[in-house]
Amino acid sequence: MLSLQFKVIGLEKSFDIENLKLIFEKASNVVITCHVSPDGDAIGASLCLWHVMRNLGKNAVVLTPDILPKSLSFLPGADEIISYSNNSLRAREIVSASDLIFCLDYNNLSRLDSMQSLIKESIVTKVLIDHHLDPERFTDYIFSDSTSSSTCLLLFQILSKLNYGDLIDKDAAECVYTGMMTDTGNFTYNSSDPSLYIAISQLLERGIDKDKIYSVVCNTNSESRLRLCGYALNQKMTLYYEHKAALIVLNKEDLVHYNYKNGDTEGLVNIPLSVPGIVYSAFIREDDNYIKISMRSKGDFPVNVICEKYFNGGGHLNAAGGEFCGSLLDAVSLFQSILKENDKYLENGKE
Ligand code: 5GP
Ligand code: MN
């Protein structure tokens, strides 16, 4: 039997896995939500739970704040996802008919972007399953384990503990594996926990093709994405060796010129970390309504602290993000102005 380390915080004082089972089984119309700009973990967990809920005989809908990247559209069930940004009326109908809402892979409501008030105002039972630090108390039940490498791993362990293993069919297994893979950079970081491989071996037994999933998610590029990333690295990257930092900036014109699509810059922020001497890397992108920040680091250099303090965001120690309200120029100036202050974290950063 797997030993689970997740914290269970319910409104009731004593809450155990049987209570969760009861909540699952009582529900008829289930809504599954994840964060804006969904990644493999958010979509993988949502679709896995969607398959399991349907296999349990529930009406279930995955509702995302915005559209998913093309690289994840192959996942079984992806074409049935409703995006609030595309169909807010339908999303409202679905939420008002629901009796259970899952919140997957996010720890506060602001991660729902414009879908925030819809979920906040619903009075049905809400269950959060997530691996980010310090979850906000906006759900009735919180399953949170910040030591877990992905929400997908935590979800798989919870479902197994509930004896729902048989409901995780090959399609569900493909989805949940995808998040385990993407949130560990294809098992290159945060991935030394043996329980991860126990889970993966059980998913492989369900017939998933892990090599195909890697190839579709991580090794498929459009020409414009390759050219955009090449341009960004060649022309728009600055290395601040004295601060062990890197910065890539893309403005609106760059994105238009390279026919930018959601997900096209995925992974770009990691690349400067491969330069010896660079401990943290930032990517600033001028989106339509705001400036998006992504940061990655090595060792104990806390990019989540920086994103929380300066960029209205947060995340994990080595992978974080946020948003900046203001001009692109101001966002870049802010990043440059805090370089010196961030030197204090450098003693933590391993190379
Ligand atoms: P990415 O850089 O891939 O967009 O995000 C990396 C991680 O940072 C995400 O998994 C998430 O934990 C966190 N993150 C990204 N953007 C935001 C944001 O706007 N707010 C918060 N709180 N976390 C974010
Ligand atoms: Mn995640």
Side-chain angles (χ1 to χ4, degrees), residues 147-197:
T147 70
S148 187
S149 55
S150 63
T151 295
C152 278
L153 177 60
L154 182 60
L155 174 70
F156 180 79
Q157 291 172 329
I158 291 172
L159 293 172
S160 305
K161 194 90 177 165
L162 288 166
N163 284 325
Y164 285 161
D166 290 349
L167 302 174
I168 304 173
D169 54 20
K170 184 181 172 199
D171 286 349
E174 243 182 40
C175 298
V176 80
Y177 174 82
T178 297
M180 294 177 191
M181 179 187 82
T182 56
D183 255 29
T184 55
N186 313 315
F187 312 108
T188 58
Y189 51 76
N190 234 342
S191 53
S192 298
D193 174 3
S195 72
L196 172 61
Y197 300 93

Short mmCIF file of all heavy atoms in Angstrom, two decimals, residues 147-197:
data_model
loop_
_atom_site.label_atom_id
_atom_site.label_comp_id
_atom_site.label_asym_id
_atom_site.label_seq_id
_atom_site.Cartn_x
_atom_site.Cartn_y
_atom_site.Cartn_z
N THR A 147 5.23 18.82 -1.15
CA THR A 147 6.41 17.99 -1.43
C THR A 147 6.17 17.11 -2.66
O THR A 147 7.09 16.44 -3.14
CB THR A 147 6.78 17.07 -0.24
OG1 THR A 147 5.77 16.06 -0.11
CG2 THR A 147 6.88 17.85 1.06
N SER A 148 4.94 17.08 -3.17
CA SER A 148 4.65 16.25 -4.33
C SER A 148 5.13 16.96 -5.59
O SER A 148 4.95 18.16 -5.74
CB SER A 148 3.14 15.99 -4.40
OG SER A 148 2.88 15.07 -5.43
N SER A 149 5.72 16.20 -6.52
CA SER A 149 6.28 16.85 -7.71
C SER A 149 5.20 17.32 -8.67
O SER A 149 5.46 18.17 -9.52
CB SER A 149 7.24 15.89 -8.42
OG SER A 149 6.59 14.68 -8.73
N SER A 150 4.00 16.78 -8.55
CA SER A 150 2.93 17.23 -9.45
C SER A 150 1.57 16.99 -8.79
O SER A 150 1.44 16.11 -7.93
CB SER A 150 2.98 16.51 -10.79
OG SER A 150 2.78 15.12 -10.61
N THR A 151 0.60 17.77 -9.24
CA THR A 151 -0.78 17.51 -8.80
C THR A 151 -1.21 16.15 -9.34
O THR A 151 -1.95 15.42 -8.69
CB THR A 151 -1.70 18.63 -9.31
OG1 THR A 151 -1.31 19.84 -8.65
CG2 THR A 151 -3.15 18.35 -8.99
N CYS A 152 -0.73 15.80 -10.54
CA CYS A 152 -1.09 14.51 -11.12
C CYS A 152 -0.68 13.34 -10.22
O CYS A 152 -1.43 12.39 -10.03
CB CYS A 152 -0.47 14.37 -12.51
SG CYS A 152 -1.46 15.21 -13.77
N LEU A 153 0.55 13.41 -9.67
CA LEU A 153 1.00 12.34 -8.79
C LEU A 153 0.10 12.27 -7.55
O LEU A 153 -0.35 11.18 -7.14
CB LEU A 153 2.46 12.55 -8.38
CG LEU A 153 3.03 11.52 -7.39
CD1 LEU A 153 2.97 10.11 -7.96
CD2 LEU A 153 4.45 11.88 -6.97
N LEU A 154 -0.17 13.42 -6.96
CA LEU A 154 -1.02 13.47 -5.77
C LEU A 154 -2.42 12.92 -6.08
O LEU A 154 -2.97 12.11 -5.31
CB LEU A 154 -1.10 14.92 -5.27
CG LEU A 154 -1.88 15.19 -4.00
CD1 LEU A 154 -1.31 14.42 -2.83
CD2 LEU A 154 -1.87 16.69 -3.69
N LEU A 155 -2.97 13.33 -7.21
CA LEU A 155 -4.30 12.85 -7.60
C LEU A 155 -4.30 11.33 -7.77
O LEU A 155 -5.19 10.63 -7.29
CB LEU A 155 -4.74 13.53 -8.91
CG LEU A 155 -6.05 13.01 -9.50
CD1 LEU A 155 -7.24 13.43 -8.64
CD2 LEU A 155 -6.25 13.52 -10.93
N PHE A 156 -3.28 10.82 -8.46
CA PHE A 156 -3.19 9.37 -8.69
C PHE A 156 -3.16 8.63 -7.35
O PHE A 156 -3.81 7.61 -7.16
CB PHE A 156 -1.95 9.03 -9.52
CG PHE A 156 -1.80 7.56 -9.78
CD1 PHE A 156 -2.54 6.93 -10.77
CD2 PHE A 156 -0.93 6.79 -9.01
CE1 PHE A 156 -2.41 5.56 -11.00
CE2 PHE A 156 -0.80 5.43 -9.23
CZ PHE A 156 -1.54 4.82 -10.23
N GLN A 157 -2.39 9.17 -6.40
CA GLN A 157 -2.27 8.52 -5.10
C GLN A 157 -3.60 8.57 -4.33
O GLN A 157 -3.98 7.61 -3.66
CB GLN A 157 -1.14 9.17 -4.30
CG GLN A 157 0.22 8.85 -4.91
CD GLN A 157 1.36 9.62 -4.28
OE1 GLN A 157 1.19 10.75 -3.83
NE2 GLN A 157 2.53 9.03 -4.27
N ILE A 158 -4.28 9.71 -4.44
CA ILE A 158 -5.58 9.83 -3.76
C ILE A 158 -6.58 8.84 -4.37
O ILE A 158 -7.28 8.12 -3.66
CB ILE A 158 -6.12 11.28 -3.85
CG1 ILE A 158 -5.25 12.21 -2.99
CG2 ILE A 158 -7.57 11.36 -3.40
CD1 ILE A 158 -5.57 13.70 -3.17
N LEU A 159 -6.63 8.79 -5.70
CA LEU A 159 -7.57 7.88 -6.36
C LEU A 159 -7.27 6.43 -6.01
O LEU A 159 -8.17 5.62 -5.80
CB LEU A 159 -7.53 8.09 -7.89
CG LEU A 159 -8.06 9.44 -8.38
CD1 LEU A 159 -7.79 9.61 -9.88
CD2 LEU A 159 -9.55 9.60 -8.09
N SER A 160 -5.98 6.11 -5.92
CA SER A 160 -5.60 4.73 -5.56
C SER A 160 -6.06 4.43 -4.14
O SER A 160 -6.58 3.35 -3.85
CB SER A 160 -4.09 4.53 -5.67
OG SER A 160 -3.66 4.89 -6.95
N LYS A 161 -5.84 5.41 -3.26
CA LYS A 161 -6.23 5.25 -1.85
C LYS A 161 -7.75 5.07 -1.71
O LYS A 161 -8.23 4.38 -0.81
CB LYS A 161 -5.77 6.51 -1.11
CG LYS A 161 -5.79 6.40 0.38
CD LYS A 161 -4.47 5.88 0.90
CE LYS A 161 -4.48 5.86 2.42
NZ LYS A 161 -3.39 5.07 2.96
N LEU A 162 -8.49 5.68 -2.62
CA LEU A 162 -9.95 5.56 -2.61
C LEU A 162 -10.42 4.24 -3.24
O LEU A 162 -11.63 4.02 -3.38
CB LEU A 162 -10.58 6.72 -3.40
CG LEU A 162 -10.54 8.11 -2.77
CD1 LEU A 162 -10.89 9.19 -3.78
CD2 LEU A 162 -11.49 8.18 -1.59
N ASN A 163 -9.46 3.42 -3.66
CA ASN A 163 -9.77 2.18 -4.39
C ASN A 163 -10.45 2.46 -5.73
O ASN A 163 -11.32 1.70 -6.17
CB ASN A 163 -10.64 1.23 -3.56
CG ASN A 163 -9.83 0.55 -2.51
OD1 ASN A 163 -8.65 0.25 -2.75
ND2 ASN A 163 -10.40 0.35 -1.33
N TYR A 164 -10.11 3.57 -6.35
CA TYR A 164 -10.64 3.89 -7.67
C TYR A 164 -9.63 3.51 -8.77
O TYR A 164 -9.76 3.96 -9.91
CB TYR A 164 -10.94 5.39 -7.79
CG TYR A 164 -12.20 5.83 -7.07
CD1 TYR A 164 -12.40 7.17 -6.76
CD2 TYR A 164 -13.20 4.92 -6.71
CE1 TYR A 164 -13.54 7.60 -6.10
CE2 TYR A 164 -14.33 5.34 -6.05
CZ TYR A 164 -14.51 6.68 -5.75
OH TYR A 164 -15.64 7.09 -5.10
N GLY A 165 -8.62 2.73 -8.40
CA GLY A 165 -7.59 2.35 -9.36
C GLY A 165 -8.17 1.75 -10.64
O GLY A 165 -7.71 2.05 -11.74
N ASP A 166 -9.23 0.94 -10.49
CA ASP A 166 -9.82 0.28 -11.67
C ASP A 166 -10.50 1.28 -12.59
O ASP A 166 -10.75 0.99 -13.76
CB ASP A 166 -10.87 -0.76 -11.23
CG ASP A 166 -10.21 -1.95 -10.57
OD1 ASP A 166 -8.97 -2.04 -10.66
OD2 ASP A 166 -10.94 -2.77 -9.96
N LEU A 167 -10.85 2.45 -12.05
CA LEU A 167 -11.52 3.47 -12.87
C LEU A 167 -10.51 4.28 -13.68
O LEU A 167 -10.88 5.07 -14.54
CB LEU A 167 -12.33 4.42 -11.98
CG LEU A 167 -13.40 3.77 -11.10
CD1 LEU A 167 -14.03 4.78 -10.16
CD2 LEU A 167 -14.49 3.15 -11.99
N ILE A 168 -9.22 4.11 -13.35
CA ILE A 168 -8.19 4.81 -14.12
C ILE A 168 -7.87 3.92 -15.33
O ILE A 168 -7.05 3.02 -15.27
CB ILE A 168 -6.93 5.07 -13.27
CG1 ILE A 168 -7.30 5.86 -12.01
CG2 ILE A 168 -5.87 5.83 -14.08
CD1 ILE A 168 -6.16 6.03 -11.02
N ASP A 169 -8.57 4.18 -16.43
CA ASP A 169 -8.36 3.38 -17.63
C ASP A 169 -7.15 3.93 -18.40
O ASP A 169 -6.48 4.85 -17.94
CB ASP A 169 -9.63 3.34 -18.49
CG ASP A 169 -10.13 4.75 -18.82
OD1 ASP A 169 -9.33 5.71 -18.72
OD2 ASP A 169 -11.33 4.89 -19.15
N LYS A 170 -6.92 3.39 -19.57
CA LYS A 170 -5.74 3.80 -20.34
C LYS A 170 -5.78 5.30 -20.65
O LYS A 170 -4.76 6.01 -20.59
CB LYS A 170 -5.65 2.97 -21.62
CG LYS A 170 -4.39 3.26 -22.41
CD LYS A 170 -4.32 2.46 -23.69
CE LYS A 170 -3.14 2.96 -24.51
NZ LYS A 170 -3.25 2.58 -25.91
N ASP A 171 -6.98 5.81 -21.01
CA ASP A 171 -7.10 7.24 -21.34
C ASP A 171 -6.75 8.10 -20.12
O ASP A 171 -6.00 9.08 -20.23
CB ASP A 171 -8.53 7.57 -21.80
CG ASP A 171 -8.81 7.06 -23.20
OD1 ASP A 171 -7.84 6.65 -23.89
OD2 ASP A 171 -9.98 7.08 -23.63
N ALA A 172 -7.31 7.74 -18.97
CA ALA A 172 -7.03 8.49 -17.74
C ALA A 172 -5.54 8.41 -17.40
O ALA A 172 -4.93 9.39 -16.96
CB ALA A 172 -7.87 7.97 -16.59
N ALA A 173 -4.98 7.22 -17.63
CA ALA A 173 -3.57 7.00 -17.31
C ALA A 173 -2.67 7.89 -18.17
O ALA A 173 -1.69 8.48 -17.69
CB ALA A 173 -3.21 5.53 -17.51
N GLU A 174 -3.02 8.03 -19.46
CA GLU A 174 -2.24 8.89 -20.36
C GLU A 174 -2.24 10.34 -19.86
O GLU A 174 -1.22 11.02 -19.88
CB GLU A 174 -2.89 8.87 -21.76
CG GLU A 174 -1.99 8.30 -22.79
CD GLU A 174 -2.60 8.31 -24.19
OE1 GLU A 174 -3.27 9.27 -24.59
OE2 GLU A 174 -2.36 7.30 -24.89
N CYS A 175 -3.42 10.77 -19.40
CA CYS A 175 -3.55 12.16 -18.93
C CYS A 175 -2.72 12.38 -17.68
O CYS A 175 -1.95 13.35 -17.59
CB CYS A 175 -5.03 12.48 -18.64
SG CYS A 175 -6.06 12.36 -20.11
N VAL A 176 -2.84 11.48 -16.72
CA VAL A 176 -2.19 11.71 -15.44
C VAL A 176 -0.66 11.54 -15.56
O VAL A 176 0.12 12.22 -14.89
CB VAL A 176 -2.83 10.83 -14.33
CG1 VAL A 176 -2.32 9.41 -14.35
CG2 VAL A 176 -2.68 11.45 -12.96
N TYR A 177 -0.23 10.66 -16.47
CA TYR A 177 1.21 10.51 -16.71
C TYR A 177 1.80 11.80 -17.29
O TYR A 177 2.91 12.22 -16.92
CB TYR A 177 1.48 9.34 -17.67
CG TYR A 177 2.94 9.26 -18.05
CD1 TYR A 177 3.85 8.65 -17.20
CD2 TYR A 177 3.42 9.85 -19.23
CE1 TYR A 177 5.21 8.62 -17.50
CE2 TYR A 177 4.76 9.82 -19.54
CZ TYR A 177 5.66 9.21 -18.68
OH TYR A 177 6.99 9.21 -18.97
N THR A 178 1.03 12.44 -18.18
CA THR A 178 1.53 13.64 -18.85
C THR A 178 1.92 14.72 -17.82
O THR A 178 2.96 15.36 -17.94
CB THR A 178 0.46 14.17 -19.83
OG1 THR A 178 0.26 13.17 -20.83
CG2 THR A 178 0.88 15.48 -20.49
N GLY A 179 1.08 14.90 -16.80
CA GLY A 179 1.40 15.91 -15.78
C GLY A 179 2.61 15.54 -14.94
O GLY A 179 3.41 16.40 -14.57
N MET A 180 2.73 14.24 -14.65
CA MET A 180 3.92 13.80 -13.89
C MET A 180 5.18 14.09 -14.68
O MET A 180 6.22 14.49 -14.12
CB MET A 180 3.84 12.29 -13.60
CG MET A 180 2.70 11.90 -12.69
SD MET A 180 2.67 10.09 -12.51
CE MET A 180 1.10 9.87 -11.70
N MET A 181 5.09 13.92 -15.99
CA MET A 181 6.24 14.15 -16.86
C MET A 181 6.55 15.64 -17.00
O MET A 181 7.69 16.07 -16.80
CB MET A 181 5.94 13.53 -18.24
CG MET A 181 7.03 13.70 -19.26
SD MET A 181 6.52 13.14 -20.90
CE MET A 181 5.62 14.57 -21.47
N THR A 182 5.53 16.45 -17.30
CA THR A 182 5.82 17.87 -17.59
C THR A 182 6.23 18.64 -16.34
O THR A 182 7.09 19.52 -16.41
CB THR A 182 4.62 18.58 -18.26
OG1 THR A 182 3.46 18.45 -17.42
CG2 THR A 182 4.33 17.99 -19.62
N ASP A 183 5.64 18.33 -15.18
CA ASP A 183 5.99 19.09 -13.98
C ASP A 183 7.35 18.72 -13.39
O ASP A 183 7.81 19.35 -12.44
CB ASP A 183 4.89 18.97 -12.90
CG ASP A 183 4.06 20.25 -12.81
OD1 ASP A 183 3.94 20.95 -13.84
OD2 ASP A 183 3.54 20.57 -11.72
N THR A 184 7.98 17.70 -13.96
CA THR A 184 9.34 17.36 -13.51
C THR A 184 10.35 17.59 -14.64
O THR A 184 11.47 17.07 -14.58
CB THR A 184 9.43 15.86 -13.10
OG1 THR A 184 8.98 15.07 -14.21
CG2 THR A 184 8.60 15.56 -11.87
N GLY A 185 9.94 18.37 -15.66
CA GLY A 185 10.84 18.58 -16.80
C GLY A 185 11.29 17.24 -17.36
O GLY A 185 12.49 17.01 -17.55
N ASN A 186 10.31 16.37 -17.61
CA ASN A 186 10.59 15.03 -18.13
C ASN A 186 11.54 14.26 -17.20
O ASN A 186 12.50 13.65 -17.64
CB ASN A 186 11.18 15.08 -19.55
CG ASN A 186 10.37 16.01 -20.41
OD1 ASN A 186 9.15 15.95 -20.40
ND2 ASN A 186 11.04 16.91 -21.12
N PHE A 187 11.22 14.34 -15.91
CA PHE A 187 11.96 13.60 -14.87
C PHE A 187 13.41 14.04 -14.78
O PHE A 187 14.30 13.23 -14.56
CB PHE A 187 11.83 12.08 -15.10
CG PHE A 187 10.41 11.67 -15.35
CD1 PHE A 187 9.99 11.28 -16.61
CD2 PHE A 187 9.46 11.76 -14.34
CE1 PHE A 187 8.65 10.96 -16.86
CE2 PHE A 187 8.13 11.44 -14.58
CZ PHE A 187 7.72 11.04 -15.84
N THR A 188 13.63 15.36 -14.93
CA THR A 188 15.00 15.86 -14.77
C THR A 188 15.14 16.70 -13.51
O THR A 188 16.24 17.07 -13.14
CB THR A 188 15.43 16.71 -15.99
OG1 THR A 188 14.51 17.80 -16.14
CG2 THR A 188 15.48 15.90 -17.26
N TYR A 189 14.04 17.11 -12.87
CA TYR A 189 14.14 17.76 -11.56
C TYR A 189 12.96 17.34 -10.70
O TYR A 189 11.93 16.89 -11.22
CB TYR A 189 14.23 19.30 -11.69
CG TYR A 189 13.18 19.96 -12.54
CD1 TYR A 189 11.87 20.13 -12.08
CD2 TYR A 189 13.48 20.42 -13.82
CE1 TYR A 189 10.90 20.74 -12.86
CE2 TYR A 189 12.53 21.03 -14.61
CZ TYR A 189 11.24 21.19 -14.13
OH TYR A 189 10.28 21.79 -14.90
N ASN A 190 13.14 17.51 -9.40
CA ASN A 190 12.04 17.20 -8.48
C ASN A 190 11.52 15.79 -8.67
O ASN A 190 10.34 15.53 -8.44
CB ASN A 190 10.86 18.15 -8.82
CG ASN A 190 10.40 18.88 -7.60
OD1 ASN A 190 10.71 18.47 -6.49
ND2 ASN A 190 9.67 19.95 -7.80
N SER A 191 12.39 14.90 -9.12
CA SER A 191 11.84 13.61 -9.56
C SER A 191 12.60 12.42 -8.97
O SER A 191 12.69 11.38 -9.59
CB SER A 191 11.86 13.55 -11.09
OG SER A 191 13.15 13.85 -11.58
N SER A 192 13.14 12.61 -7.78
CA SER A 192 13.89 11.51 -7.17
C SER A 192 13.08 10.71 -6.16
O SER A 192 13.62 9.83 -5.50
CB SER A 192 15.17 12.05 -6.51
OG SER A 192 15.98 12.65 -7.48
N ASP A 193 11.79 11.02 -6.03
CA ASP A 193 10.95 10.31 -5.07
C ASP A 193 10.53 8.96 -5.66
O ASP A 193 9.87 8.90 -6.70
CB ASP A 193 9.71 11.20 -4.80
CG ASP A 193 8.68 10.50 -3.93
OD1 ASP A 193 8.94 9.36 -3.49
OD2 ASP A 193 7.62 11.11 -3.70
N PRO A 194 10.94 7.87 -5.01
CA PRO A 194 10.62 6.54 -5.57
C PRO A 194 9.12 6.33 -5.81
O PRO A 194 8.74 5.60 -6.73
CB PRO A 194 11.13 5.57 -4.50
CG PRO A 194 12.13 6.34 -3.72
CD PRO A 194 11.72 7.79 -3.77
N SER A 195 8.26 7.01 -5.02
CA SER A 195 6.82 6.76 -5.19
C SER A 195 6.32 7.23 -6.56
O SER A 195 5.32 6.74 -7.07
CB SER A 195 6.00 7.41 -4.06
OG SER A 195 5.98 8.80 -4.21
N LEU A 196 7.05 8.18 -7.15
CA LEU A 196 6.70 8.64 -8.50
C LEU A 196 6.80 7.47 -9.49
O LEU A 196 5.94 7.27 -10.35
CB LEU A 196 7.65 9.79 -8.91
CG LEU A 196 7.58 10.29 -10.35
CD1 LEU A 196 6.20 10.86 -10.69
CD2 LEU A 196 8.65 11.39 -10.57
N TYR A 197 7.86 6.66 -9.32
CA TYR A 197 8.09 5.57 -10.28
C TYR A 197 7.19 4.36 -10.00
O TYR A 197 6.90 3.58 -10.89
CB TYR A 197 9.59 5.21 -10.30
CG TYR A 197 10.37 6.45 -10.72
CD1 TYR A 197 10.88 7.32 -9.77
CD2 TYR A 197 10.45 6.81 -12.06
CE1 TYR A 197 11.50 8.51 -10.14
CE2 TYR A 197 11.06 7.99 -12.44
CZ TYR A 197 11.58 8.83 -11.48
OH TYR A 197 12.18 10.01 -11.86
#
